[in-house]
Structures are given as structure tokens and as C-alpha cells.
Amino acid sequence: MTVLSTLCNFSRISSIAVRKAFLNNKRNEIIQAIRKMSGGHGDRTMHITTSRFQYTKFKDDLHFYITLGAVPLILLILYVNIFIGPATLSEIPEGYEPKHWEYYKHPISRFIARYFNEDPQIEHEKVLHMLWEEQETGKWSETIRKVNTLMAERDDYKAWYYVPSQQGRHIRKAREETDKLYEIKGYR
């Protein structure tokens, strides 16, 4: 708030400097908008200035939303620290494996670890799988590079794959028909 009050003082000082800069040399008056008020008791004027509505509205909204978020959070933290408290260290029962969030002392840390963080063991498995995939990709690219190198050295053509053909089935069928025909006619 001290920064904002300093800015207000600065704006007042700067407005005085602006008024001095716009003095009319002929009549030695400040050129500005003045509203003459009716009624007696001397000269009553109101200086027309720009509105500070947006500034005050922004300041009020900022305080409102900070309070709207901060107050419930502070109350929650107080409740957890007063009524729940930190965890105590105890023996692990036989055959029980603690969950990953049960290793944290403070209840808020346990809550965050349980509902927002992944299990470190699962994260480790994900990293290992990613490394395994990268290793397999490296092995395949090394094999392909080796094949291309050997093809270039031996002047081979690009045919390191095999496409099975279905033509043999027709040839075998034709051969069987020819053999049956030769048996019927007695050539064999």
C-alpha cells in the first residue's frame, strides 16, 4: 500500500507541474476546466479532474480476490496443523507395504503426494521404458546403417526383405492336373 500512496503523491506533484507549464502569459491564469457553483458566500468553484473509478475498482477487486483465496487457505492450514498435526513414526506391521504418500510427515504434503504426484516407482518404470525404446531404436538404426554399408561395399541391390509369392500354388496345381492327364492317357 505504501507504493500506491507514493504513486498518489507523485501524481499530485506532477499535476501541479503540468498546471505551471500551462499558465497563460496574458492573464496569469491556469487553463483548465472549472465548474462555477451557484450560491453565495464567495467564489465557489469545483475543479474538474479525471475519474479515479477504474483505479479504485481495480484495487477493491484485487483485495477481494486475494482475500477470497487467502482466507480459506489460511483457515485450512490452521485446522490441519491444530487438529490433525504431523504424523508419528511407528513400526510397520508384518506383510504391509506402505504407500508412497505415507512416507511424508505433514498431512498437506501427504495429500499432495497422494492425489497430485505420481508414484516414484511408476515414474522410474516409465523412464526405464523410455530408455529401452530409445535403445531399441538405436539398435535398429545401427542395423540399417550396417546393411546400407554392406550393400554399398558389395554392390548389392536394395532387397533385404522377402515378399512371399502366391504363384507357386498355381504351378503346383497345374502340375497335378498334367500328371492326372498323363495317367489317364497312358503316357506314364
Side-chain angles (χ1 to χ4, degrees):
M1 293 313 294
T2 58
V3 173
L4 296 178
S5 62
T6 306
L7 289 176
C8 290
N9 290 336
F10 178 73
S11 67
R12 287 186 194 125
I13 292 169
S14 63
S15 66
I16 292 171
V18 169
R19 285 182 192 153
K20 286 182 181 179
F22 288 105
L23 282 177
N24 191 349
N25 290 335
K26 293 180 181 176
R27 288 183 253 151
N28 204 11
E29 294 177 351
I30 297 174
I31 301 171
Q32 62 180 353
I34 296 177
R35 165 91 162 87
K36 298 287 185 181
M37 306 297 284
S38 62
H41 308 296
D43 189 26
R44 298 179 60 188
T45 59
M46 179 179 77
H47 297 281
I48 299 173
T49 59
T50 57
S51 172
R52 296 177 54 88
F53 175 75
Q54 288 296 327
Y55 170 71
T56 54
K57 178 147 178 59
F58 169 75
K59 191 171 62 171
D60 291 344
D61 287 346
L62 182 69
H63 287 126
F64 173 71
Y65 287 115
I66 286 175
T67 305
L68 188 68
V71 169
L73 194 61
I74 290 171
L75 291 176
L76 177 72
I77 291 171
L78 282 174
Y79 173 78
V80 166
N81 285 330
I82 292 172
F83 293 108
I84 297 175
T88 57
L89 191 61
S90 62
E91 286 289 324
I92 298 173
E94 188 70 32
Y96 177 73
E97 185 174 337
K99 306 291 189 226
H100 69 95
W101 64 83
E102 294 176 352
Y103 290 104
Y104 293 94
K105 185 175 183 180
H106 198 268
I108 296 175
S109 300
R110 283 196 306 262
F111 179 80
I112 291 171
R114 182 175 186 176
Y115 293 108
F116 296 111
N117 293 346
E118 192 73 34
D119 186 3
Q121 185 176 0
I122 293 173
E123 286 293 320
H124 181 68
E125 293 290 332
K126 286 180 183 178
V127 170
L128 288 179
H129 179 71
M130 182 188 67
L131 291 174
W132 176 80
E133 282 183 343
E134 290 294 325
Q135 186 179 16
E136 288 297 313
T137 305
K139 284 180 184 177
W140 276 107
S141 61
E142 179 65 27
T143 304
I144 290 171
R145 187 195 58 75
K146 187 174 180 182
V147 166
N148 287 333
T149 304
L150 289 174
M151 282 174 26
E153 286 176 2
R154 299 175 185 169
D155 293 332
D156 282 343
Y157 55 90
K158 287 188 173 185
W160 62 82
Y161 55 88
Y162 171 72
V163 178
S165 174
Q166 298 292 328
Q167 300 300 322
R169 177 176 52 136
H170 301 297
I171 294 170
R172 284 190 294 276
K173 185 70 171 170
R175 182 68 182 191
E176 288 175 10
E177 293 294 326
T178 306
D179 288 343
K180 284 182 186 177
L181 188 61
Y182 284 156
E183 281 184 23
I184 291 173
K185 291 190 175 183
Y187 295 127
R188 278 199 188 183

